[in-house]
Amino acid sequence: MQIRVINPNTTLSMTDKIGEAAQRIAAPGTRIVATSPASGPVSIESHFDEVVSAVGVAEEVLAGEREQTDAYIVACFGDPGLLAARELTRAPVIGIAEAAFHMATLISTRFSIVTTLGRTGIIAEHLLQAYGFAHHCRRVRAAEIPVLDLEDSGRAALERIIAECRRARDEDNIGAIVLGCGGMADLRGEISREVGLPVVEGVTAAVKLAESLVSLDLGTSKFGDLAFPRPKTFTGRFEHLSGIGG
Amino acid sequence: MQIRVINPNTTLSMTDKIGEAAQRIAAPGTRIVATSPASGPVSIESHFDEVVSAVGVAEEVLAGEREQTDAYIVACFGDPGLLAARELTRAPVIGIAEAAFHMATLISTRFSIVTTLGRTGIIAEHLLQAYGFAHHCRRVRAAEIPVLDLEDSGRAALERIIAECRRARDEDNIGAIVLGCGGMADLRGEISREVGLPVVEGVTAAVKLAESLVSLDLGTSKFGDLAFPRPKTFTGRFEHLSGIGG
Amino acid sequence: MQIRVINPNTTLSMTDKIGEAAQRIAAPGTRIVATSPASGPVSIESHFDEVVSAVGVAEEVLAGEREQTDAYIVACFGDPGLLAARELTRAPVIGIAEAAFHMATLISTRFSIVTTLGRTGIIAEHLLQAYGFAHHCRRVRAAEIPVLDLEDSGRAALERIIAECRRARDEDNIGAIVLGCGGMADLRGEISREVGLPVVEGVTAAVKLAESLVSLDLGTSKFGDLAFPRPKTFTGRFEHLSGIGG
Amino acid sequence: MQIRVINPNTTLSMTDKIGEAAQRIAAPGTRIVATSPASGPVSIESHFDEVVSAVGVAEEVLAGEREQTDAYIVACFGDPGLLAARELTRAPVIGIAEAAFHMATLISTRFSIVTTLGRTGIIAEHLLQAYGFAHHCRRVRAAEIPVLDLEDSGRAALERIIAECRRARDEDNIGAIVLGCGGMADLRGEISREVGLPVVEGVTAAVKLAESLVSLDLGTSKFGDLAFPRPKTFTGRFEHLSGIGG
Amino acid sequence: MQIRVINPNTTLSMTDKIGEAAQRIAAPGTRIVATSPASGPVSIESHFDEVVSAVGVAEEVLAGEREQTDAYIVACFGDPGLLAARELTRAPVIGIAEAAFHMATLISTRFSIVTTLGRTGIIAEHLLQAYGFAHHCRRVRAAEIPVLDLEDSGRAALERIIAECRRARDEDNIGAIVLGCGGMADLRGEISREVGLPVVEGVTAAVKLAESLVSLDLGTSKFGDLAFPRPKTFTGRFEHLSGIGG
Amino acid sequence: MQIRVINPNTTLSMTDKIGEAAQRIAAPGTRIVATSPASGPVSIESHFDEVVSAVGVAEEVLAGEREQTDAYIVACFGDPGLLAARELTRAPVIGIAEAAFHMATLISTRFSIVTTLGRTGIIAEHLLQAYGFAHHCRRVRAAEIPVLDLEDSGRAALERIIAECRRARDEDNIGAIVLGCGGMADLRGEISREVGLPVVEGVTAAVKLAESLVSLDLGTSKFGDLAFPRPKTFTGRFEHLSGIGG
């Protein structure tokens, strides 16, 4: 089974890290292909960054389709371009935010989210509402660290995340914590040990959900509103997308 | 990995059928132990049946704990005793209704449920609301067949289910159908072929979710409201439950 | 009129206390029969305790049916087995949590709940959501006292409850407090006097609702999903339930 | 105990009918005082009618306060002026719509409403949402009869209501019907017999809830947002309301 | 274009202030007619005050209809009598609370409300829920100043409002503040400058919405539940309303 | 005042039509600049089309910022890129779907949407939920015409839309219809005349809301989560976006 893990930003060290975390958790027969778009922002910390990255996500699905990919993962906590990605393939497509929310509700009754920057909290709130998990989440918290600080080798960012997770544990009346950034894919174990309650991380969760759907022979429904797009002309910089769909 | 699939009713042919469907979808290293309570109703078609079966579910978890079980599945579409079962173990516990709902939302934007009897539709409605999936479900439909008719060798029950699924496909503006009974665990393939859109079945979905959580080392949170029960005295017929918890 | 007040746990001193509180508030012509199951937990402080107690609730309804009972009350704040109990009778069945919620919304716009243990707060949250009262409740609070401490003759438990009620009054912007445990049935007067705002207690509220429904000739609807269960075989320890329904 | 049943419209034959229905269901010691405002619309079939009638409701509470009234009922299905009425007294105040909704949820899982005119359906929808009962109600139906047609001695209006109730029973997947007009207070028995499932009517339901709250010594909370209004000057036609409050 | 701005209370200095604020923001061709009812409370700080003022609102719409008014504004933050007012005219009718909520959601993702008295917070909460804006509002805050203190020439009331707005800005994780009283119509500029984030005020917002609807030739729908009331007899003090409607 | 109306697709005839409709409704002093991205799909009929078009929307806002634009309109009914657009400017940004929803709720209590293709109905459903208007909308309907058919000179598409609007009027119990496509900007008058109830169209509604916000001096809040994006590196095809933000 081949799963294409799409890091929607263009920071290759993060793509590698995410790919390694994904491969580590993957089943023996699963091959992880970690990619990121050729074009896009180096990190995603705003609605604007999301919008641009979503095109790259779609293009990475199109690239994956040329290789008979079995499943896709969108590895940014805002799940950018998720529904568009689903339209482009019969394979399942999983966002890491939704993956983490699903898993967290299976092991606890209430969870909190610890994300990077306060300004992206609204993105998590919107997803919680759209997906139906709003009443399962007690609070969206931010450690106030820029995403790329997670790429530093030092422990400063990690310590801030752990501190915020401890506050969540002590104040929020929860059973689990959801880590709110794809760049935290390698931190789950340590944070969980330090904080002492289950910590759900989206990349790893998404890999297992993707494998699950493939095993179940459940792909994105092509019946109704996730059917392939109607092919049409795209102009200018997006001309190469003309005729996509079916 | 050992997953204990608990059929909450006491019809062994159904337990076997569920166990076989579960083993068929399971990963190579997964051993399915299909059990049903020694005591309880032969089918679950009412709140009353659910209440009695929930005790059996709890006891089957306790039995599983004596065997180092890695995960549990509650294989009745009402998820009877789910939260109680979670309190009794560090392992993950998955209900087949929630499993099906989670999977259906990953491959479609809207689904309908096709269940057995109209009177159990309210159970599905309550679960959809409690889990947060109410706005993802367009309609709860019933084929109006008693659960044990699914154990007959003939095709009458199957034909009624297929007919109702076709109505869902044609009238409900959906992308997927959720089968609303554990006794349909072996019918997914045929129904999906006949109806032509993705059909999600809870037992098989739950097996993959259970395997996923075990792989992720995510068990039921013992922090907060799913902690082990406070041990106490039980009287009479339930005396053997005294001291359970921790 | 005969109302069967079912204390779902098996602590007889609590059953007596609940029965006395119920009789005290009952109308002249109402006879309260306070019972508790022969089998079950001595207190209900977890989902597991609830599940076991719900069978006892159902059996107590069946016992009541042999005596021409006019109404039933389920006297534990989680309303365990409520819908199952309703299926088993044409008489009305009232849970004390729902009773308290209904009454609290009639005299205030917002209320808080003060319950025993923090871990049971989630049960109240689930009920509030299922019943539709979530936005009427500002906060679920716990005095962190085990249920059976309420049976002690001393005032320590009472003082902790009063202290928590005062915090609710001062911090929650509410008009009323709901007491979240059947074991508080005798405390309403004193707490209300000490705290100075209306205090709603479920056992007493449920008695009046039960009398009301009987006067109105409104019993549990046997049309649709609360109809009597389909009779069937129960095995093992629950064999005596075979054939129940109609 | 004295309960003031306020018919918010000024049609005395309806006030009498409502008063008789209320007295018939009342407990032996309860005295019903049925009144209607001196000023106001002869029927309430619009938001405009409601607004005018609400002043009369408030004034009837003020009149009741001069007589030591124990409880109040607002006997129009839109519950006009309910929160204002509550501010004016320590006694409980019950609206007949809320009363019917509360009672219907105690005996069924889902109900439909059958009201008079389609245009007033929106009033019921708004109340269902505000009170939290929206998901308990399947459908709001109208028999399309003006309110005062219910005062005719003939059976035409009754037959239309019964016909609509039968459609609700057959099409809506419900367990109970709520009658959506105070003018139907005397029709409950006959409709229920004709339709064959429980029929909840608000005036009678409200009487029992009012008696219940008085027995429980639960009055409108004067703590917080239902406290007596701040006394102030009213001008012109409402000058007599100056200084009301406390 | 003529817009009738109805101050629902009878304090003429407030009517003048509101009228001036409205005229100042109005387009060149717009004539503001600021009125208040001849009869009613001098300020609106309770449900009771609201109920009485709503009649005045309706009468002011009827008065406006005799002058060919193009649009109406109900200039009290509880939007008293809004739906009734809409029934009485083909012109658009805007409440200042709804106007402020609509505008606030167009420039921010989350807002807080700062109103006068804590007891009126519940009115704002009810409106947020009814209109659908509940999840856009983080918190309803009160400066605890009586409405008429806003008419004083000193700065004490203003300072309290500014202080509460600063707390909202610093604690609530919001992008905008909604001022919760018509009497604050002239304070928006100064508060916004002092607090440093967008401040939305309802009177000014409503003027622009009213002008917008008139330009769009969109009046209150007379199709369905906001159609003119059915004409009927009103008695007593409201006899002059007989025959209103169409 | 200069309003930049961004047609997110690249069909210039539609841009012109939208621009003309916008200019026609605009106030005398308002200059409409109708633009569409240089790159993107010729029509927007899927999530995929939306994702690509959203980049163009953002770039058109950046272009507008170089010209001191006073307000922006995103003229596609899915409001693609709306929050991203807001991050890029201090000016207000209005989506035509939200504009239509806001206006429809001001003139009716319930509305239906008539859009082009059934598959885009889900986009409208998601927006209704996110914005808070879900319970104001009775039904999302589709005329099943591709967007570009609206550019044909013939009347076939118009007739289908009118037919669907008539069905909405007759079956949905509504007071207004919302047209669900920017390409219908010129059809509002004729449809309204044919159907006989208020028809709300988003482009025209958005122009008036944009003018309103500018008059009110209310721009997109730069406080909190709609602040300018953190500037960063963009790679490849999006390199020109590097350093955007503030």
Side-chain angles (χ1 to χ4, degrees):
Chain A
M1 183 187 317
Q2 179 159 315
I3 300 177
R4 193 173 188 91
V5 179
I6 303 167
N7 170 22
N9 75 34
T10 56
T11 296
L12 297 187
S13 64
M14 191 179 292
T15 309
D16 289 347
K17 181 174 65 175
I18 287 171
E20 283 158 26
Q23 189 67 65
R24 211 151 41 225
I25 199 72
T30 300
R31 181 164 166 258
I32 298 293
V33 177
T35 64
S36 52
S39 303
V42 294
S43 63
I44 300 174
E45 299 167 323
S46 66
H47 301 292
F48 173 62
D49 295 344
E50 273 210 340
V51 152
V52 179
S53 73
V55 176
V57 168
E59 291 187 317
E60 283 302 313
V61 171
L62 293 173
E65 290 298 281
R66 292 189 289 271
E67 298 178 27
Q68 285 299 88
T69 306
D70 295 291
Y72 296 88
I73 290 172
V74 180
C76 170
F77 201 75
D79 294 354
L82 181 62
L83 292 175
R86 284 189 176 139
E87 287 178 334
L88 297 173
T89 177
R90 292 183 185 280
V93 185
I94 311 290
I96 66 169
E98 65 174 354
F101 298 154
H102 284 284
M103 292 308 195
T105 63
L106 294 174
I107 59 165
S108 69
T109 60
R110 294 289 185 268
F111 60 84
S112 284
I113 300 171
V114 175
T115 185
T116 50
L117 294 172
R119 67 175 295 159
T120 64
I122 193 70
I123 296 174
E125 287 186 39
H126 287 162
L127 294 181
L128 287 164
Q129 189 196 8
Y131 296 161
F133 295 120
H135 64 285
H136 295 275
C137 179
R138 292 268 187 216
R139 193 161 163 188
V140 181
R141 289 169 170 273
E144 294 303 348
I145 44 172
V147 168
L148 294 186
D149 282 14
L150 292 166
E151 299 307 289
D152 287 350
S153 52
R155 288 182 57 90
L158 175 58
E159 292 301 338
R160 294 191 69 161
I161 296 167
I162 289 173
E164 194 67 29
C165 288
R166 286 197 178 114
R167 279 190 286 272
R169 176 197 64 193
D170 296 340
E171 301 171 7
D172 293 359
N173 188 20
I174 54 172
I177 288 173
V178 165
L179 297 181
C181 179
M184 302 179 185
D186 56 338
L187 306 179
R188 181 169 71 100
E190 180 157 5
I191 295 173
S192 186
R193 276 189 302 278
E194 293 282 340
V195 180
L197 82 178
V199 173
V200 183
E201 188 282 321
V203 173
T204 44
V207 169
K208 305 319 286 184
L209 286 175
E211 290 177 343
S212 296
L213 287 167
V214 173
S215 296
L216 290 162
D217 200 23
L218 285 173
T220 299
S221 177
K222 295 290 111 181
F223 194 94
D225 50 34
L226 295 175
F228 287 107
R230 305 176 76 234
K232 63 186 54 167
T233 301
F234 284 70
T235 61
R237 178 197 300 142
F238 299 118
E239 200 178 355
H240 59 292
L241 301 175
S242 294
I244 294 290
Chain B
M1 184 188 317
Q2 180 161 313
I3 299 177
R4 195 173 186 92
V5 179
I6 303 167
N7 170 22
N9 76 35
T10 57
T11 295
L12 297 186
S13 63
M14 191 178 293
T15 309
D16 290 347
K17 181 174 64 176
I18 288 171
E20 284 158 25
Q23 189 67 66
R24 212 152 38 225
I25 198 70
T30 300
R31 181 165 167 257
I32 298 292
V33 178
T35 65
S36 52
S39 303
V42 294
S43 63
I44 299 174
E45 300 168 323
S46 66
H47 301 291
F48 173 62
D49 295 344
E50 272 210 343
V51 151
V52 179
S53 72
V55 175
V57 168
E59 291 187 317
E60 283 303 314
V61 171
L62 293 173
E65 291 297 281
R66 292 188 290 271
E67 298 180 27
Q68 285 300 87
T69 305
D70 295 292
Y72 297 88
I73 290 171
V74 179
C76 170
F77 200 76
D79 295 353
L82 181 62
L83 292 175
R86 284 189 177 140
E87 286 178 335
L88 297 171
T89 177
R90 292 184 187 280
V93 185
I94 312 289
I96 65 169
E98 63 174 356
F101 298 155
H102 284 284
M103 291 308 194
T105 63
L106 294 174
I107 58 164
S108 69
T109 59
R110 295 288 186 268
F111 60 83
S112 284
I113 299 171
V114 175
T115 185
T116 51
L117 293 172
R119 67 175 294 158
T120 64
I122 192 70
I123 295 174
E125 287 185 38
H126 286 162
L127 293 180
L128 288 164
Q129 190 196 6
Y131 296 162
F133 295 120
H135 64 285
H136 296 275
C137 179
R138 292 267 187 218
R139 192 162 164 187
V140 181
R141 291 169 168 274
E144 294 303 348
I145 44 171
V147 169
L148 294 186
D149 282 14
L150 292 167
E151 300 307 288
D152 289 348
S153 52
R155 291 183 54 90
L158 176 58
E159 292 300 340
R160 293 191 68 160
I161 296 167
I162 289 173
E164 194 66 30
C165 287
R166 285 196 179 116
R167 279 189 286 273
R169 176 197 63 194
D170 296 340
E171 300 170 9
D172 293 359
N173 187 21
I174 54 172
I177 287 173
V178 165
L179 297 181
C181 180
M184 301 177 186
D186 56 337
L187 305 179
R188 181 169 71 100
E190 180 157 4
I191 295 173
S192 186
R193 277 189 301 277
E194 293 283 339
V195 180
L197 81 178
V199 173
V200 182
E201 187 281 322
V203 173
T204 43
V207 169
K208 304 318 287 184
L209 285 175
E211 290 177 341
S212 296
L213 288 167
V214 173
S215 296
L216 291 163
D217 199 24
L218 286 173
T220 299
S221 177
K222 294 290 110 180
F223 194 94
D225 51 35
L226 294 175
F228 287 107
R230 305 176 77 234
K232 63 187 55 168
T233 301
F234 283 71
T235 63
R237 179 196 301 141
F238 299 118
E239 200 178 354
H240 59 293
L241 300 176
S242 295
I244 295 289
Chain C
M1 183 189 314
Q2 180 159 314
I3 299 177
R4 194 173 187 91
V5 179
I6 304 166
N7 170 22
N9 76 34
T10 57
T11 295
L12 296 186
S13 65
M14 191 179 292
T15 308
D16 289 348
K17 181 174 66 177
I18 288 171
E20 284 158 25
Q23 189 68 66
R24 212 151 39 225
I25 199 70
T30 300
R31 182 167 166 257
I32 298 292
V33 178
T35 65
S36 53
S39 303
V42 294
S43 63
I44 301 174
E45 299 167 323
S46 65
H47 301 292
F48 173 61
D49 295 345
E50 272 210 341
V51 151
V52 180
S53 74
V55 176
V57 168
E59 292 187 316
E60 283 302 312
V61 171
L62 294 172
E65 290 297 281
R66 292 188 290 271
E67 299 179 26
Q68 284 299 89
T69 305
D70 295 292
Y72 296 88
I73 291 172
V74 179
C76 169
F77 201 76
D79 294 354
L82 181 62
L83 293 175
R86 284 189 177 140
E87 287 178 334
L88 296 171
T89 177
R90 293 184 185 280
V93 185
I94 312 288
I96 65 168
E98 63 174 356
F101 298 154
H102 285 284
M103 291 308 194
T105 63
L106 294 174
I107 59 165
S108 69
T109 60
R110 296 289 186 265
F111 61 82
S112 284
I113 300 171
V114 175
T115 185
T116 51
L117 293 171
R119 68 175 291 158
T120 65
I122 193 69
I123 296 174
E125 287 186 37
H126 286 162
L127 293 180
L128 287 165
Q129 190 197 8
Y131 296 162
F133 296 119
H135 64 284
H136 296 275
C137 179
R138 293 267 187 217
R139 191 161 164 188
V140 181
R141 289 168 170 273
E144 294 303 346
I145 45 172
V147 169
L148 294 186
D149 282 14
L150 292 167
E151 299 307 289
D152 289 348
S153 52
R155 290 182 54 89
L158 175 58
E159 293 300 340
R160 294 191 68 161
I161 296 167
I162 289 173
E164 194 67 30
C165 288
R166 285 197 180 115
R167 279 190 285 272
R169 176 198 63 193
D170 296 340
E171 300 171 8
D172 293 359
N173 188 20
I174 53 172
I177 287 172
V178 165
L179 297 181
C181 179
M184 301 178 186
D186 56 337
L187 305 179
R188 181 169 69 100
E190 181 158 4
I191 295 174
S192 186
R193 275 189 304 277
E194 293 283 339
V195 180
L197 82 178
V199 173
V200 182
E201 188 280 322
V203 173
T204 44
V207 170
K208 305 319 288 184
L209 286 175
E211 290 177 343
S212 295
L213 288 166
V214 173
S215 295
L216 291 163
D217 201 23
L218 286 173
T220 299
S221 178
K222 294 290 111 181
F223 194 93
D225 50 36
L226 295 175
F228 287 107
R230 304 177 75 235
K232 62 187 52 166
T233 301
F234 284 71
T235 62
R237 178 197 300 142
F238 299 117
E239 200 179 356
H240 59 292
L241 300 175
S242 295
I244 293 290
Chain D
M1 185 189 313
Q2 180 160 312
I3 299 177
R4 193 173 188 93
V5 179
I6 304 167
N7 170 22
N9 75 34
T10 57
T11 295
L12 297 186
S13 64
M14 192 179 292
T15 308
D16 289 347
K17 181 174 67 175
I18 287 171
E20 284 158 25
Q23 189 69 65
R24 214 152 37 225
I25 198 72
T30 300
R31 180 165 168 257
I32 298 293
V33 177
T35 65
S36 52
S39 302
V42 295
S43 63
I44 300 174
E45 299 168 322
S46 66
H47 300 291
F48 173 62
D49 295 345
E50 273 210 341
V51 152
V52 180
S53 72
V55 175
V57 168
E59 292 187 316
E60 283 303 313
V61 172
L62 293 173
E65 290 298 280
R66 291 188 290 269
E67 299 179 27
Q68 285 300 86
T69 305
D70 295 291
Y72 296 87
I73 291 172
V74 179
C76 170
F77 201 74
D79 294 355
L82 181 62
L83 293 175
R86 283 188 178 141
E87 287 178 334
L88 296 172
T89 177
R90 292 184 185 282
V93 185
I94 311 290
I96 66 170
E98 65 175 354
F101 299 154
H102 284 284
M103 291 309 195
T105 63
L106 294 175
I107 59 166
S108 69
T109 59
R110 295 289 186 266
F111 59 83
S112 284
I113 299 170
V114 175
T115 184
T116 50
L117 293 171
R119 67 175 292 158
T120 65
I122 192 70
I123 295 174
E125 287 185 39
H126 286 162
L127 293 180
L128 287 165
Q129 190 197 6
Y131 296 162
F133 296 119
H135 65 283
H136 295 275
C137 179
R138 293 269 187 216
R139 191 162 165 188
V140 180
R141 290 169 169 274
E144 295 302 347
I145 45 172
V147 169
L148 293 186
D149 283 14
L150 292 167
E151 299 307 289
D152 289 348
S153 52
R155 290 184 54 90
L158 175 59
E159 292 302 338
R160 294 191 68 160
I161 296 167
I162 288 173
E164 194 66 31
C165 288
R166 285 197 179 113
R167 279 190 286 272
R169 176 197 64 195
D170 296 340
E171 300 170 10
D172 293 359
N173 187 21
I174 52 172
I177 287 173
V178 165
L179 297 181
C181 180
M184 301 177 185
D186 57 337
L187 305 179
R188 181 168 71 100
E190 181 157 4
I191 296 173
S192 186
R193 277 189 301 277
E194 293 283 339
V195 180
L197 81 177
V199 173
V200 182
E201 187 281 322
V203 173
T204 44
V207 170
K208 304 319 286 186
L209 286 175
E211 290 176 342
S212 296
L213 287 167
V214 173
S215 296
L216 290 163
D217 200 23
L218 286 173
T220 299
S221 177
K222 294 290 110 180
F223 195 93
D225 50 35
L226 295 175
F228 288 107
R230 304 177 76 234
K232 64 187 51 167
T233 300
F234 283 71
T235 63
R237 180 197 299 142
F238 298 118
E239 199 178 355
H240 59 292
L241 300 175
S242 295
I244 293 291
Chain E
M1 185 189 315
Q2 181 159 312
I3 299 178
R4 193 172 187 92
V5 179
I6 303 168
N7 171 22
N9 75 35
T10 56
T11 295
L12 297 187
S13 63
M14 191 179 292
T15 308
D16 289 347
K17 181 174 66 176
I18 288 172
E20 283 158 25
Q23 189 67 65
R24 213 151 38 224
I25 199 70
T30 299
R31 181 164 167 258
I32 299 293
V33 178
T35 64
S36 53
S39 303
V42 294
S43 63
I44 300 175
E45 300 168 323
S46 67
H47 301 291
F48 173 62
D49 295 344
E50 272 209 341
V51 151
V52 179
S53 72
V55 175
V57 168
E59 291 187 318
E60 283 302 313
V61 171
L62 293 173
E65 291 297 281
R66 291 189 290 272
E67 298 179 25
Q68 284 299 89
T69 305
D70 295 291
Y72 297 87
I73 291 171
V74 180
C76 170
F77 201 75
D79 294 354
L82 181 62
L83 293 175
R86 283 189 177 139
E87 287 177 335
L88 296 173
T89 178
R90 292 184 185 281
V93 186
I94 312 290
I96 66 169
E98 64 175 353
F101 298 155
H102 284 284
M103 290 310 194
T105 64
L106 294 175
I107 58 165
S108 69
T109 60
R110 296 290 186 266
F111 60 82
S112 284
I113 299 171
V114 174
T115 183
T116 51
L117 293 171
R119 68 175 292 158
T120 65
I122 193 69
I123 295 175
E125 287 186 37
H126 286 163
L127 293 181
L128 288 165
Q129 190 197 7
Y131 296 161
F133 296 119
H135 65 285
H136 296 275
C137 179
R138 294 268 187 215
R139 192 161 164 188
V140 181
R141 289 169 170 272
E144 295 302 349
I145 45 172
V147 168
L148 293 186
D149 283 14
L150 292 167
E151 300 307 290
D152 287 348
S153 53
R155 290 183 55 90
L158 175 59
E159 292 301 338
R160 293 192 68 160
I161 295 167
I162 288 172
E164 195 66 30
C165 288
R166 285 198 179 114
R167 279 190 285 273
R169 176 197 63 194
D170 296 340
E171 300 171 9
D172 293 359
N173 188 20
I174 53 172
I177 287 173
V178 165
L179 297 181
C181 179
M184 300 178 186
D186 56 337
L187 306 178
R188 181 168 72 100
E190 180 157 5
I191 295 174
S192 186
R193 276 189 303 278
E194 293 283 338
V195 180
L197 82 178
V199 173
V200 183
E201 188 280 324
V203 173
T204 44
V207 169
K208 305 319 287 186
L209 286 175
E211 289 176 342
S212 296
L213 288 166
V214 173
S215 295
L216 290 163
D217 199 24
L218 285 173
T220 299
S221 177
K222 294 291 110 181
F223 194 93
D225 50 35
L226 294 175
F228 287 107
R230 304 177 76 235
K232 63 186 54 167
T233 301
F234 283 70
T235 62
R237 179 198 300 143
F238 299 117
E239 201 178 354
H240 60 293
L241 300 176
S242 295
I244 294 289
Chain F
M1 184 189 316
Q2 180 159 313
I3 300 177
R4 193 173 187 91
V5 179
I6 303 167
N7 171 22
N9 75 34
T10 56
T11 295
L12 297 186
S13 64
M14 191 178 294
T15 309
D16 289 347
K17 181 174 64 175
I18 288 171
E20 283 158 26
Q23 188 68 64
R24 212 151 38 225
I25 199 70
T30 300
R31 179 163 168 258
I32 299 293
V33 177
T35 64
S36 52
S39 303
V42 295
S43 63
I44 300 175
E45 300 168 322
S46 66
H47 301 292
F48 173 62
D49 296 343
E50 271 210 342
V51 151
V52 179
S53 72
V55 175
V57 168
E59 292 187 316
E60 284 302 313
V61 172
L62 293 173
E65 291 297 280
R66 292 189 289 271
E67 299 180 27
Q68 284 299 89
T69 305
D70 295 292
Y72 297 88
I73 290 171
V74 180
C76 169
F77 201 75
D79 294 354
L82 181 62
L83 292 175
R86 283 188 178 140
E87 287 178 333
L88 297 172
T89 177
R90 292 183 186 281
V93 185
I94 312 289
I96 66 169
E98 63 174 355
F101 298 154
H102 284 283
M103 291 308 195
T105 64
L106 293 175
I107 59 165
S108 69
T109 60
R110 295 290 187 266
F111 61 83
S112 284
I113 299 171
V114 175
T115 184
T116 51
L117 294 172
R119 68 175 293 159
T120 64
I122 192 70
I123 295 174
E125 288 187 38
H126 286 162
L127 293 181
L128 287 164
Q129 191 197 6
Y131 296 161
F133 296 120
H135 65 285
H136 296 276
C137 179
R138 293 269 186 216
R139 192 163 165 187
V140 181
R141 289 169 170 273
E144 294 303 349
I145 43 172
V147 168
L148 293 186
D149 282 14
L150 292 167
E151 300 306 289
D152 288 349
S153 53
R155 289 182 55 90
L158 175 59
E159 293 300 339
R160 295 190 69 160
I161 296 167
I162 289 173
E164 195 66 30
C165 287
R166 285 197 179 114
R167 280 191 285 274
R169 176 197 64 193
D170 296 340
E171 300 171 8
D172 293 359
N173 189 20
I174 53 172
I177 287 172
V178 165
L179 297 182
C181 179
M184 301 178 186
D186 56 337
L187 306 178
R188 181 169 70 101
E190 180 157 4
I191 295 173
S192 186
R193 276 189 302 277
E194 293 284 339
V195 180
L197 81 177
V199 173
V200 183
E201 187 280 323
V203 172
T204 43
V207 169
K208 304 320 286 184
L209 286 175
E211 289 177 341
S212 296
L213 288 166
V214 173
S215 296
L216 290 162
D217 199 22
L218 285 173
T220 299
S221 177
K222 295 290 110 182
F223 194 93
D225 51 36
L226 294 176
F228 287 106
R230 304 177 77 234
K232 63 186 53 167
T233 301
F234 284 70
T235 62
R237 180 196 300 141
F238 298 117
E239 200 178 355
H240 59 294
L241 301 176
S242 295
I244 294 290

